[in-house]
Amino acid sequence: MLKKLLLALCIGGLSLSACAAENDAAPIAAPAVTPAAQQMVRQAIHSLAANVQVDSIEPAPMPGFYQVIAAGQLLYVSTDGKYAMHGDVIDLSRKQNVSDDAWARFRKAELAKVPASERIVFAPPNPKYTVTVFTDVNCGFCRALHEHVAAFNKAGIAVEYLAWPREGVVTTAGRPTPTYTEMVSVWCAKDRKAAFTAAKEGRAPAPAACANPVKDEFELGVKLGVSGTPSIYGPDGRMLGGYVTPEQLLQALKQGG
C-alpha cells in the first residue's frame, strides 16, 4: 500500500518541494478543514491508492493546500483536489522546515497514546529527558545502541522501547516472521527487561505467548514513517536519528530545548 502510494506520486511527477517566502503582504488564511474538505482530500488520496489510510488532514502552512499524513508519508493536496506535492516546505522567514514541525506534532500525539505498560523502559530515577526508540532485537545497530543504555541513563536520558520487527509481522506465506515471534516472546516474558537485554546480546528468549502490543507497535511505526531501526524520537516528536552515542543524543536533546 505504501509502495503503491509512493510509486503513484513518483510516476505522476508529483514529487516536489515548496518554499514560502517572507513578504510584506498579510498572510492568506489557510482553508478550514470542513467535512466536505476532508472528503475531497480522501478522494484525492484514494485516487492514487484506494486502500491507503489517511491519518491527518490540516491546513497547510502555504495557501491553497491541505497538509496530509497518510501511510507514513506527508503530502500536500490542493484545495480543489487537482494537485498533490510530496516533499518539504521551508519557511524562509524562520529558516525552518515546517514539514518537520507537522511530523513532530503528529508523532508526539500518537506516541502519547502508547501506555507505559506496553513499553520496555530503561530509566534513571529522575530523568531529564525521555526518548522513544522503535527497535528490532536482531538488528546490529539496535544492539549497539542498547549497549549504551546505562550511559544514556547516567546522562539523565530515559529510553522507552517500542517493538518494530524489520521483517514485518507476517511472511508472504502468511506465517509470523521469526523476529516478530521472538519479540512477542520478549514482550511476554516474566522479566521483560532481562529478556530484552538477553535478546540484544544474541540469546533468544524462551518461547512465550500472551496478549501483547508488538503488532500494534509495528503498525504505529509504519504510520509514523519509521523505515528502519533504531528510530529515536524526542519528547517533542522530533526524529533524533538512528544509532547515536550518549553524547550525540544528549546534544540533540539539548538543542531541542
Side-chain angles (χ1 to χ4, degrees):
M1 188 183 303
L2 175 59
K3 289 181 178 178
K4 288 182 180 178
L5 177 57
L6 289 174
L7 184 60
L9 288 170
C10 292
I11 292 177
L14 301 176
S15 181
L16 303 173
S17 294
C19 298
E22 182 180 20
N23 54 53
D24 295 330
I28 300 174
V33 187
T34 63
Q38 289 196 29
Q39 181 179 3
M40 180 276 297
V41 170
R42 293 179 190 278
Q43 288 177 344
I45 296 297
H46 292 156
S47 71
L48 295 173
N51 297 320
V52 165
Q53 178 177 324
V54 177
D55 295 307
S56 174
I57 304 172
E58 296 181 348
M62 70 283 199
F65 283 84
Y66 294 108
Q67 184 172 267
V68 184
I69 293 177
Q73 300 294 315
L74 193 149
L75 313 170
Y76 296 94
V77 176
S78 61
T79 53
D80 59 5
K82 293 176 63 177
Y83 303 99
M85 299 191 298
H86 177 242
D88 293 337
V89 173
I90 310 301
D91 183 331
L92 295 179
S93 64
R94 293 189 297 148
K95 295 181 173 57
Q96 190 159 346
N97 186 329
V98 293
S99 300
D100 285 348
D101 293 346
W103 264 126
R105 290 194 305 272
F106 180 70
R107 287 166 174 154
K108 180 180 180 180
E110 293 299 314
L111 289 172
K113 298 175 185 177
V114 182
S117 61
E118 296 182 357
R119 304 167 182 248
I120 296 180
V121 180
F122 292 81
N126 298 293
K128 298 176 183 176
Y129 303 101
T130 299
V131 297
T132 300
V133 182
F134 284 90
T135 192
D136 177 312
V137 293
N138 293 315
C139 91
F141 284 114
C142 298
R143 289 180 171 183
L145 183 77
H146 190 63
E147 289 177 1
H148 297 308
V149 74
F152 288 133
N153 290 172
K154 186 176 180 180
I157 303 169
V159 179
E160 299 190 348
Y161 285 110
L162 300 182
W164 208 78
R166 293 173 302 153
E167 296 175 333
V169 172
V170 295
T171 66
T172 53
R175 301 186 184 91
T177 65
T179 300
Y180 168 76
T181 300
E182 184 173 347
M183 295 187 79
V184 167
S185 294
V186 167
W187 256 255
C188 292
K190 185 176 181 180
D191 186 337
R192 281 182 178 178
K193 290 173 68 173
F196 182 86
T197 296
K200 292 287 189 178
E201 295 171 348
R203 292 179 282 126
C210 66
N212 68 85
V214 175
K215 179 175 181 292
D216 289 343
E217 291 179 0
F218 175 80
E219 292 175 349
L220 174 62
V222 173
K223 183 177 179 178
L224 300 186
V226 173
S227 59
T229 54
S231 287
I232 306 173
Y233 296 97
D236 59 356
R238 288 186 306 125
M239 173 67 171
L240 299 178
Y243 170 78
V244 292
T245 65
E247 294 78 11
Q248 290 170 330
L249 183 56
L250 185 60
Q251 183 63 30
L253 289 163
K254 287 180 177 177
Q255 289 176 349

